[in-house]
Amino acid sequence: MKRNWSHTLREKMEGHEMAPDSDGWQKIEQSLFVELPAEVTSIPLVGSSARIARRRKVQNLAIAASLGGILVCGALLFSTLDRKQQISPNRSLTLEGNKEKLKTSNKVENIGLRTESEPAIVKIEKREKSLLRNLDPFITRVNQNRKEVETYIDSRSLSSFSGTGIQTYGILSGAKIVADPYPYKNFAVTAKQKQSDRISSSNKRTKERRGFSFGPIAGQLASNSTAQNPGYLTLSGGSATRMAMAQLDAPYANVLVENLAQKASTEINHHTPVTYGLAVQYPLTSKWSLSSGVSYTLLRSDLKAGTETSYWESRQDLHYIGVPLFVNYEISETSKVRTYAYGGGEVKKVVAASSRTKYVVKDEPETFTKEKLSEKPLQVSLNAGVGLEYRLHKNISLYVEPGIEYHLNDNSSIQSLYKDKPVNVSLRTGLRFTIGKP
Amino acid sequence: MNSYRGSEQEYIASLLQKEQVAWREWYHSVSPGLMSLCIRYVRDRDLANDVLQNSFIKMFHSISSFQFRGEGSLKAWASRIVINEALRELKSRSEWQRLQFEEELAEPEIIEPEVESLSQEEILEFILQLPDGYRTVFNLFVFENLSHKQIAEHLNITESTSASQLHRAKSILAEKIKLRQSLDKKIL
């Protein structure tokens, strides 16, 4: 193929310029350099005073939870004295109170504001709206001649580019919420329904049991959670839209630009964690014993943010090694099977944390990233539950322990089930060695 | 030609810092050249503006991945982003698929037109008269110096389709240029 004349064309065209729209830069500027309050742009999105306020809340909660623990132990004692006495309603109330507090603290924490008051939330919303307003001409321009104006008008009312999901993210605690601009309104209903459903069914089950009733507490909690939020979120604890404004890298940007005028949402699914352990048990009296050892927990979370066709998908794995310290109280014992109640605490440390993200633009995978998270937070939890132990050998037994755990905030920016839902149902299983005999 | 007030290297540090002033200055410095590029690909002026704006947003977000490889590499990087955006825009058009897979029949040898006397505006006008598919292949082959293999990868077509599209594009261009020149002669 001769290229001389076409090559000449190219040479002649060198340096050719055309003026873009006179307000071209203005539009870009509005979408890139909208002034953001300093505390909102930082990642993790938590201001220092919010952190202090949160710490206070956590302390209060810790005290409340400890009291709850004492109540549980007390209740156990009572239950052995008078097995017909029902104590669960009281306990259930305490925990409900706790849960309300948790909702509040989470809400503040995830919005990442310096203050906890309502006006602050309003402020954020206003800012989002102004951001959106600034983007309006740009988005409209993007959609010209593409017959997408309708979609855009629709999405504008849903604040597609605003990342309002942050407001609702932390409040979710266990119900599957289908795309809704304000998921937690729905959640209130769904959760209540679920709660009452579970209470009625679990009451039936547990009334026949000896000692104490566990059902009503577990009934209002779920150990795995799926939540869908409008806007973009990441597992490292922030709104990607805001990150985009400040420091996002290319793969995120590709998805954001592609979805500029469309409804975007984030779905986060925390898998149910199971804790495996090797435990040692030391009997204190014929009924009471102390149990400790090592445990391993894998906390897996999946996140999908964007639209149907352009999105990113992350899977985060947090591997915990922990040391529990529990007090067990024997409820019944046969030659092979022993049932007991336990209460205590556990200190867990993330030993490995990884995150894999796939970026898909227009249904085509663009990039894969894999990163090891450097943040390895320490996690403290308070645990209570019932255990079933099957004796394999004289001193060796297999145990399964369903229970509830309350996780104190680890002050990290990593999003996990524990952060999303500090109180949740747990399942512990493993091998236990009994040493000594009183 | 675009005139940088400072060297590209000086710009990069400020652009990486996301300094608004630097980005503004750089935009004003390179956007006329990039706008010409956009127009050559998408033809429509409004769409070209869209592509340009989207491209700048992408540049802003991905500047950290840019690697400086000497003077001119920043402009080349920006051009690549613009071209990718323009191709994205072209591919989203409903008529794109139809255009792309037309295998051309063997064309006769192209008789070279005289192009030395053409102005930049005239050349652009001729290029813009080409249908999307031909124009895209022509742009990528002639202006971006891509091989047919690279073009095939970019556009999800075969190498032979790329080659035949280029041949067709050149043939149309040559005809149009010659027609215009003969008309001009008659009028004169």
Side-chain angles (χ1 to χ4, degrees):
Chain A
M1 186 71 64
K2 287 178 186 175
R3 60 188 279 275
N4 49 0
W5 68 273
S6 56
H7 188 65
T8 313
L9 285 183
R10 176 190 160 181
E11 280 171 352
K12 286 185 75 76
M13 281 303 282
E14 259 172 36
H16 182 253
E17 292 185 341
M18 284 182 89
D21 267 3
S22 54
D23 58 349
W25 170 248
Q26 227 176 330
K27 287 170 186 166
I28 295 168
E29 201 166 39
Q30 277 168 352
S31 60
L32 293 180
F33 296 100
V34 176
E35 218 172 284
L36 296 174
E39 66 269 32
V40 179
T41 50
S42 65
I43 300 164
L45 299 168
V46 183
S48 57
S49 48
R51 203 167 265 171
I52 293 163
R54 214 178 59 224
R55 234 175 251 159
R56 267 188 211 136
K57 283 207 170 221
V58 166
Q59 279 164 2
N60 291 341
L61 281 169
I63 293 164
S66 314
L67 285 173
I70 293 166
L71 262 177
V72 172
C73 294
L76 279 171
L77 273 175
F78 270 110
S79 69
T80 51
L81 293 173
D82 180 8
R83 287 187 168 173
K84 282 175 189 167
Q85 196 179 333
Q86 288 288 328
I87 56 144
S88 57
N90 284 343
R91 211 144 30 87
S92 158
L93 274 177
T94 316
L95 275 159
E96 256 183 307
N98 279 353
K99 193 143 191 277
E100 284 308 313
K101 281 186 191 172
L102 288 168
K103 278 184 184 178
T104 326
S105 73
N106 254 357
K107 189 172 177 178
V108 173
E109 166 191 325
N110 284 287
I111 296 166
L113 290 169
R114 287 187 181 281
T115 59
E116 303 171 31
S117 56
E118 272 306 301
I121 295 165
V122 174
K123 189 177 125 202
I124 267 277
E125 277 173 346
K126 275 186 185 158
R127 205 199 58 73
E128 297 284 12
K129 274 177 191 157
S130 76
L131 177 62
L132 197 68
R133 215 173 18 248
N134 289 333
L135 279 168
D136 272 3
F138 175 61
I139 297 174
T140 315
R141 169 76 62 195
V142 169
N143 286 315
Q144 270 178 3
N145 307 324
R146 288 202 211 170
K147 293 174 186 169
E148 279 179 14
V149 179
E150 277 179 27
T151 323
Y152 164 58
I153 291 165
D154 183 35
S155 69
R156 182 163 56 173
S157 61
L158 295 170
S159 321
S160 73
F161 201 66
S162 72
T164 47
I166 295 172
Q167 292 164 32
T168 53
Y169 174 59
I171 326 173
L172 309 166
S173 79
K176 171 132 187 165
I177 291 147
V178 193
D180 183 293
Y182 303 104
Y184 88 94
K185 282 185 194 161
N186 255 6
F187 171 69
V189 179
T190 327
K192 269 189 183 161
Q193 279 170 351
K194 277 201 168 185
Q195 185 177 322
S196 58
D197 288 350
R198 285 184 191 177
I199 287 172
S200 57
S201 62
S202 55
N203 264 343
K204 277 178 208 158
R205 279 200 309 273
T206 52
K207 265 182 186 167
E208 290 154 19
R209 275 195 203 146
R210 287 188 299 164
F212 85 111
S213 159
F214 180 74
I217 305 164
Q220 57 188 295
L221 311 162
S223 58
N224 123 321
S225 76
T226 305
Q228 191 159 5
N229 310 270
Y232 299 90
L233 294 170
T234 65
L235 284 167
S236 57
S239 151
T241 317
R242 293 213 175 100
M243 286 158 71
M245 297 297 159
Q247 60 193 78
L248 221 55
D249 278 343
Y252 279 110
N254 285 341
V255 176
L256 289 181
V257 170
E258 201 51 56
N259 290 339
L260 207 50
Q262 294 175 53
K263 259 186 271 181
S265 65
T266 302
E267 191 178 299
I268 299 170
N269 181 21
H270 298 296
H271 294 241
T272 310
V274 177
T275 302
Y276 302 94
L278 274 179
V280 180
Q281 180 169 270
Y282 181 77
L284 297 169
T285 66
S286 60
K287 289 279 184 190
W288 294 89
S289 59
L290 213 56
S291 168
S292 185
V294 284
S295 71
Y296 165 77
T297 312
L298 168 64
L299 214 57
R300 175 166 280 180
S301 305
D302 289 333
L303 175 146
K304 189 178 167 183
T307 57
E308 290 264 299
T309 50
S310 299
Y311 54 87
W312 61 79
E313 230 170 7
S314 297
R315 166 161 284 186
Q316 176 184 279
D317 286 336
L318 303 176
H319 305 268
Y320 288 92
I321 295 287
V323 177
L325 183 64
F326 294 159
V327 176
N328 299 337
Y329 180 80
E330 189 185 299
I331 296 169
S332 74
E333 188 174 18
T334 65
S335 61
K336 282 282 181 198
V337 179
R338 191 171 75 98
T339 54
Y340 56 93
Y342 71 89
E346 183 174 24
V347 180
K348 279 184 282 206
K349 167 103 178 127
V350 175
V351 289
S354 65
S355 165
R356 283 161 288 169
T357 307
K358 180 172 84 173
Y359 303 87
V360 175
V361 173
K362 285 192 173 172
D363 283 329
E364 281 180 32
E366 283 224 328
T367 332
F368 291 88
T369 59
K370 197 174 175 182
E371 59 172 325
K372 287 198 169 162
L373 308 177
S374 55
E375 218 176 339
K376 305 240 166 85
L378 196 72
Q379 178 79 61
V380 179
S381 66
L382 297 173
N383 308 50
V386 286
L388 190 72
E389 192 181 274
Y390 181 80
R391 195 163 295 134
L392 297 170
H393 187 64
K394 196 178 157 197
N395 288 328
I396 303 168
S397 48
L398 206 62
Y399 67 88
V400 180
E401 296 175 340
I404 50 166
E405 20 184 47
Y406 165 62
H407 292 91
L408 277 75
N409 197 317
D410 61 3
N411 283 328
S412 75
S413 62
I414 298 175
Q415 285 298 340
S416 68
L417 176 68
Y418 296 157
K419 184 155 283 184
D420 204 6
K421 290 172 49 208
V423 181
N424 68 344
V425 169
S426 65
L427 183 67
R428 311 176 66 89
T429 184
L431 275 181
R432 178 179 287 134
F433 302 90
T434 305
I435 47 165
K437 202 81 183 169
Chain B
M1 287 296 281
N2 299 309
S3 55
Y4 293 106
R5 238 175 49 177
S7 69
E8 275 196 352
Q9 205 160 6
E10 280 166 11
Y11 260 110
I12 291 158
S14 312
L15 296 180
L16 272 168
Q17 294 298 314
K18 316 252 165 164
E19 284 174 22
Q20 191 167 354
V21 178
W23 277 90
R24 186 194 302 138
E25 203 176 296
W26 189 60
Y27 170 87
H28 287 304
S29 143
V30 297
S31 63
L34 295 176
M35 182 66 181
S36 162
L37 185 64
C38 288
I39 288 272
R40 236 184 328 103
Y41 278 84
V42 300
R43 184 160 40 195
D44 178 273
R45 202 184 159 81
D46 282 342
L47 283 176
N49 273 303
D50 292 347
V51 168
L52 188 68
Q53 283 162 22
N54 275 345
S55 304
F56 267 92
I57 292 175
K58 280 206 170 169
M59 289 173 212
F60 182 84
H61 293 313
S62 54
I63 185 77
S64 55
S65 64
F66 167 71
Q67 288 181 329
F68 186 72
R69 293 197 177 91
E71 202 63 19
S73 58
L74 183 63
K75 175 85 189 297
W77 172 78
S79 302
R80 277 201 304 280
I81 291 183
V82 169
I83 291 164
N84 279 336
E85 270 310 292
L87 291 180
R88 212 186 270 274
E89 158 59 33
L90 285 166
K91 284 177 187 173
S92 73
R93 294 179 181 179
S94 56
E95 61 267 38
W96 177 257
Q97 294 300 326
R98 200 156 29 87
L99 284 167
Q100 279 313 296
F101 300 104
E102 289 168 5
E103 274 285 341
E104 298 299 328
L105 297 170
E107 289 278 335
E109 190 75 12
I110 299 166
I111 301 160
E112 278 188 36
E114 193 282 306
V115 294
E116 285 296 341
S117 60
L118 294 173
S119 71
Q120 285 189 330
E121 297 311 319
E122 283 171 323
I123 295 170
L124 184 65
E125 197 191 318
F126 285 126
I127 293 172
L128 295 189
Q129 283 176 22
L130 290 171
D132 284 354
Y134 301 150
R135 193 177 68 253
T136 307
V137 174
F138 184 82
N139 274 329
L140 291 174
F141 188 88
V142 175
F143 288 90
E144 314 314 330
N145 252 335
L146 295 191
S147 65
H148 285 304
K149 192 179 175 196
Q150 289 168 314
I151 295 171
E153 280 167 9
H154 270 288
L155 304 181
N156 289 331
I157 55 175
T158 62
E159 282 181 54
S160 64
T161 306
S162 173
S164 72
Q165 296 260 321
L166 177 73
H167 187 88
R168 185 80 189 117
K170 285 168 114 179
S171 150
I172 294 174
L173 266 185
E175 277 168 34
K176 285 190 187 287
I177 294 169
K178 275 180 274 177
L179 183 68
R180 166 73 66 85
Q181 282 164 346
S182 66
L183 279 173
D184 285 351
K185 271 179 199 161
K186 276 180 191 168
I187 291 164
L188 286 170

